[in-house]
Amino acid sequence: VESLAVSLEASRDRFLISTDSDRLDIDAIHAYLTRSYWAGGISRDLVARSIAGSLCFGLYADNAQIGFARVITDRATFAYLADVYVLEAYRGFGLAKWLISVVVAHPDLQGLRRFMLATRDAHGLYEQYGFRTVESPRWLMEIVRVNPYSGA
Ligand SMILES: CC(C)(COP(=O)(O)OP(=O)(O)OC[C@H]1O[C@@H](n2cnc3c(N)ncnc32)[C@H](O)[C@@H]1OP(=O)(O)O)[C@@H](O)C(=O)NCCC(=O)NCCS
């Protein structure tokens, strides 16, 4: 499948979105995620491992990493969107909306049976790209670790 090897890019003024994993600044991504509400305390090694096993979308301003989105997927039937952020200084300019629009348009993420995500308060962002709250939560199960990286 050719699209597995080809990285996808989109640009707007000084901003770039790319799926090229060689461009990713793991230190910058780790610096944000380790202070996020969902992955607080995560180690750099674990961030690097998660990236290695995912379809990643980097967001750059003049080639500096200012945002990120990670899709865990078989590229055929299922995907899970995670670790979405835009750095504080760049918020409110529509960059997250652009990022999510590029994610959901990716050729390897078309016709999926289910595309999932979890969010505390950004439902209104994802609703603009077709995501809906789970209609039948009874059908879904999970194993969740609370504060998984607290170091205890
Ligand atoms: C959420 C986040 C990625 C938005 O980035 P952004 O570039 O400022 O967002 P945009 O400018 O593209 O606009 C976001 C849109 O979603 C809407 N929205 C809904 N919930 C939101 C939320 N919790 N935070 C920000 N925007 C939200 C906004 O109203 C806006 O829509 P509108 O322009 O139609 O009014 C950014 O605030 C962030 O990194 N937050 C911290 C990390 C986080 O919560 N990530 C999501 C985890 S699921």
Side-chain angles (χ1 to χ4, degrees):
V1 183
E2 201 170 332
S3 60
L4 285 174
V6 170
S7 63
L8 184 146
E9 300 209 327
S11 58
R12 264 186 196 178
D13 309 319
R14 53 191 285 237
F15 299 104
L16 172 76
I17 294 171
S18 173
T19 61
D20 182 354
S21 51
D22 290 340
R23 275 187 185 273
L24 294 169
D25 180 345
I26 311 264
D27 289 329
I29 296 165
H30 170 249
Y32 183 82
L33 292 179
T34 201
R35 62 182 176 89
S36 69
Y37 75 79
W38 63 90
I42 191 169
S43 70
R44 189 191 183 283
D45 277 2
L46 216 46
V47 168
R49 247 169 78 192
S50 73
I51 285 172
S54 303
L55 170 56
C56 294
F57 295 75
L59 172 66
Y60 307 90
D62 304 323
N63 292 318
Q65 187 95 42
I66 58 147
F68 181 66
R70 185 167 68 86
V71 178
I72 306 139
T73 183
D74 61 9
R75 300 180 189 245
T77 67
F78 179 81
Y80 189 95
L81 177 60
D83 294 346
V84 174
Y85 75 87
V86 171
L87 284 185
E88 286 83 348
Y90 295 90
R91 288 182 191 167
F93 302 124
L95 290 170
K97 292 202 286 185
W98 180 39
L99 181 60
I100 304 307
S101 75
V102 169
V103 168
V104 300
H106 190 283
D108 290 351
L109 303 176
Q110 304 310 303
L112 303 174
R113 210 146 66 220
R114 181 168 272 143
F115 200 159
M116 297 191 76
L117 63 82
T119 185
R120 187 174 63 186
D121 55 23
H123 307 75
L125 167 61
Y126 302 112
E127 276 166 0
Q128 300 187 37
Y129 301 95
F131 290 92
R132 296 290 176 264
T133 53
V134 172
E135 201 175 321
S136 310
R138 218 194 114 59
W139 290 21
L140 298 177
M141 297 180 75
E142 61 183 5
I143 295 173
V144 178
R145 287 170 58 214
V146 180
N147 298 327
Y149 314 123
S150 56

